[in-house]
Amino acid sequence: PRHRRRNGGTVGMTKARGDLGGKEITMAYTCETCKWYESYCGVCCNGESEHRADFMESGDSCEKWEAMDNAKE
C-alpha cells in the first residue's frame, strides 16, 4: 500500500523490527511516524524539509522523512 504525500505524490512503506517479540512490523512514511513531527500542534520541525514550520496532517509526508527513535526520554 502507498500513502498520498502532501504535494500529490505517493509515499511507500518500510519494514522494521518492533518490540512485539521480534516480529516484523510495517510502518508508513507519514508525518505521524517521522521523528521530526511534533504531534500536539501538528508541525514539521525538520529544518531540511520544504515543510519546516508548516502545519501538517499526520498522514502527510515528504522527501525528508526519518524514522522515529524508539528511545523514550
Side-chain angles (χ1 to χ4, degrees):
R2 294 195 168 278
H3 293 270
R4 282 253 168 246
R5 212 181 317 177
R6 186 176 186 169
N7 63 6
T10 57
V11 175
M13 306 287 270
T14 186
K15 291 188 177 180
R17 296 251 177 228
D19 292 332
L20 303 171
K23 293 181 182 175
E24 198 168 80
I25 57 172
T26 302
M27 179 173 46
Y29 294 132
T30 61
C31 292
E32 184 176 44
T33 61
C34 182
K35 78 179 201 176
W36 298 105
Y37 183 64
E38 195 285 310
S39 61
Y40 182 75
C41 294
V43 175
C44 176
C45 298
N46 185 344
E48 296 181 12
S49 171
E50 65 186 72
H51 303 294
R52 65 188 163 276
D54 283 347
F55 291 104
M56 303 291 289
E57 297 291 327
S58 61
D60 290 340
S61 190
C62 74
E63 300 290 324
K64 300 296 182 179
W65 178 92
E66 292 182 42
M68 278 188 211
D69 296 331
N70 290 332
K72 302 276 184 197
E73 295 186 30

